[in-house]
């Protein structure tokens, strides 16, 4: 079914029915989704105002002239706000293009709960240096604006309703990307439309699983999948109480997690429950990087402190190993994820060889392919 009906009343009723059905089937604290849908938080601008975007931009479509642009740097960074008129929803975006004018693969990145366009910045920069562009999206309703109303508002934002909105944000972004790629006079023309990937951290990883084709096994569930992506990478993913639908994901999926990768707003204090995603995925095109001593913040890619805020609000202190081992974790995450994209999106034989005999693992680290 689709939620994109021209009849706004009918669309709202269909969405409500779908959400309640989906919520009953996917509820899990580990997945960050509630058994019932909480009341929507007060409307706020999408994460405040993204850096580099004028305050008025978040209240309407981006100007026809498009993005603000940082010149002279490498990579080239541009950003703006798209307006989905069907849903009356603004979607801030940030495009990071590698230096030069050659065609490039591109990865869409979805931030974690309470995050922003800054989420995954370290990973995006590493990928750009390796010749892979990134398109970071910001999701109103589950972005940094939710911190204004405290921890309860943050927990309420971890809902099925927000997951559905995020999935449609990604679908709309791909539509915009494909449309703009046809214009040779824009930076979008460099994007190889047959070399697109999708990634995200935490709630962004849930978004990634949904877009990859997670089967919610309900006729009324909205279709959040996007067929244009060739491969995926989920940072701190989780399966929830009903992992069976993950078996429907057949395209390549990289999972990245670690021993201290607990749920910042839940009861899970280590990352063992996150291994279920890799274990449940069908054999043939999956991989997992497990890092000993890595916590939830280790996989965020810098730029957003959502997990740290949550831990402090709950009276939890960050343990020592993640900070002590941060350089090791960061280097390995960058190396593995970059080679994953170069393999799966570009068919790079050297990247394939490096991943077959991965070097640099420390005691307790694991690299699995199956």
């Amino acid at each position: 079914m689709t939620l994109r009906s021209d009849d706004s009343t009918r669309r709202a009723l269909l969405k409500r029915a779908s959400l309640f059905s989906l919520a009953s089937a996917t509820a899990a604290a580990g997945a960050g989704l509630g058994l019932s849908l909480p009341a929507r938080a007060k409307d706020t601008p999408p994460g405040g105002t993204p850096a580099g975007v004028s305050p008025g931009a978040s209240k309407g479509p981006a100007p026809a002239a498009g993005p603000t642009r940082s010149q002279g740097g490498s990579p080239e960074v541009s950003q703006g706000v798209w307006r989905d008129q069907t849903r009356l929803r603004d979607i801030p975006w940030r495009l990071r293009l590698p230096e030069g004018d050659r065609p490039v693969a591109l990865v869409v990145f979805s931030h974690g709960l309470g995050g922003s366009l800054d989420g995954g910045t370290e990973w995006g920069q590493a990928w750009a240096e390796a010749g892979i562009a990134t398109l970071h999206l910001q999701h109103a309703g589950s972005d940094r604006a939710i911190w204004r109303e405290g921890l309860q508002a943050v927990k309420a934002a971890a809902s099925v309703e927000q997951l559905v909105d995020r999935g449609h944000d990604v679908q709309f972004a791909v539509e915009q990307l494909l449309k703009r790629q046809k214009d040779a006079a824009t930076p979008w023309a460099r994007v190889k439309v047959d070399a697109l990937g999708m990634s995200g951290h935490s709630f962004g990883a849930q978004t990634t699983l949904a877009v990859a084709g997670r089967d919610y096994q309900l006729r009324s569930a909205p279709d959040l999948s996007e067929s244009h992506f060739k491969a995926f990478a989920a940072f701190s993913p989780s399966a929830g109480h009903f992992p069976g639908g993950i078996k429907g994901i057949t395209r390549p999926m990289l999972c990245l997690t670690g021993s201290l990768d607990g749920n910042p707003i839940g009861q899970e204090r280590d990352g063992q429950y996150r291994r279920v995603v890799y274990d449940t995925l069908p054999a043939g095109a999956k991989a997992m990087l497990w890092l000993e001593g890595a916590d939830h913040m280790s996989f965020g890619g810098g730029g957003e402190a959502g997990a740290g805020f949550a831990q402090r609000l709950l009276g939890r202190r960050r343990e020592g190993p993640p900070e002590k081992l941060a350089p090791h974790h960061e280097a390995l995450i960058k190396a593995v994820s970059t080679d994953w994209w170069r393999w799966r999106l570009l068919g790079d034989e050297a990247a394939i060889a490096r991943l077959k005999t991965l070097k640099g693992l420390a005691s307790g680290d694991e690299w699995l392919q199956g």
Side-chain angles (χ1 to χ4, degrees):
M1 67 169 288
T2 178
L3 300 183
R4 297 174 179 267
S5 167
D6 292 332
D7 183 332
S8 60
T9 301
R10 180 173 178 270
R11 184 173 72 247
L13 291 173
L14 287 172
K15 182 175 180 179
R16 177 173 294 184
S18 299
L19 289 172
F20 274 106
S21 297
L22 185 59
S24 66
T26 61
L33 305 177
L35 278 167
S36 60
L37 293 178
R40 179 187 289 273
K42 296 179 181 178
D43 291 337
T44 55
T49 302
V53 179
S54 63
S58 64
K59 299 181 182 297
T68 58
R69 183 169 298 162
S70 173
Q71 299 283 5
S74 178
E76 178 183 337
V77 179
S78 56
Q79 63 184 47
V81 180
W82 285 325
R83 177 74 167 179
D84 183 347
Q85 292 292 355
T86 303
R87 298 184 294 148
L88 301 179
R89 182 175 171 88
D90 293 322
I91 305 170
W93 56 268
R94 180 178 294 159
L95 175 66
R96 182 175 281 103
L97 277 172
E99 185 179 13
D101 56 5
R102 295 183 179 180
V104 292
L106 179 142
V107 175
V108 175
F109 191 90
S110 174
H111 63 74
L113 187 65
S116 69
L117 289 176
D118 294 331
T121 292
E122 292 180 5
W123 317 144
Q125 289 176 339
W127 301 338
E129 290 170 4
I132 299 166
T134 56
L135 177 61
H136 295 248
L137 302 180
Q138 188 163 316
H139 307 285
S142 60
D143 62 5
R144 63 188 179 189
I146 62 179
W147 290 102
R148 299 171 184 169
E149 299 184 32
L151 187 58
Q152 290 307 310
V154 174
K155 291 182 176 181
S159 68
V160 174
E161 182 180 24
Q162 294 300 334
L163 177 63
V164 171
D165 279 338
R166 282 167 161 259
H168 288 321
D169 286 349
V170 174
Q171 292 172 332
F172 182 80
V174 172
E175 292 174 7
Q176 298 304 304
L177 188 158
L178 296 176
K179 184 185 302 183
R180 286 161 169 74
Q181 192 272 343
K182 297 176 182 178
D183 186 348
T186 69
W188 303 95
R190 293 180 57 196
V191 176
K192 294 167 59 69
V193 297
D194 61 348
L196 301 181
M198 168 74 191
S199 184
H201 174 238
S202 195
F203 205 13
Q206 296 303 331
T207 308
T208 300
L209 293 175
V211 170
R214 181 172 184 166
D215 182 3
Y216 291 98
Q217 303 173 335
L218 286 166
R219 293 179 60 186
S220 60
D223 183 6
L224 303 180
S225 64
E226 173 52 64
S227 62
H228 288 89
F229 294 121
K230 289 182 65 175
F232 305 86
F235 292 76
S236 303
S238 55
H241 293 318
F242 302 94
I246 294 174
K247 295 179 180 179
I249 298 174
T250 57
R251 286 172 283 178
M253 176 70 72
L254 169 64
C255 301
L256 303 99
T257 186
S259 61
L260 299 178
D261 191 6
N263 185 343
I265 60 174
Q267 299 301 314
E268 298 87 357
R269 302 302 292 271
D270 61 50
Q272 286 296 329
Y273 77 109
R274 299 190 187 277
R275 298 183 68 113
V276 175
V277 176
Y278 175 81
D279 293 339
T280 306
L281 285 166
K286 63 180 180 178
M288 182 176 73
L289 177 64
W290 172 272
L291 295 176
E292 186 66 25
D295 67 1
H296 203 60
M297 295 174 67
S298 303
F299 298 96
E304 58 177 320
F309 288 150
Q311 287 178 259
R312 288 195 294 274
L313 287 172
L314 289 170
R316 300 176 184 173
R317 297 181 60 183
R318 193 181 190 196
E319 298 188 47
E323 294 184 337
K324 180 179 179 181
L325 296 171
H328 165 68
H329 292 154
E330 180 181 325
L332 205 50
I333 291 170
K334 287 180 177 178
V336 168
S337 61
T338 298
D339 276 342
W340 175 258
W341 297 129
R342 292 201 59 82
W343 170 19
R344 293 299 188 175
L345 301 183
L346 300 172
D348 186 331
E349 294 292 339
I352 296 173
R354 286 191 293 269
L355 290 178
K356 283 185 177 179
T357 56
L358 184 63
K359 299 179 180 179
L361 295 175
S363 177
D365 294 344
E366 297 180 60
W367 170 240
L368 305 175
Q369 296 184 78

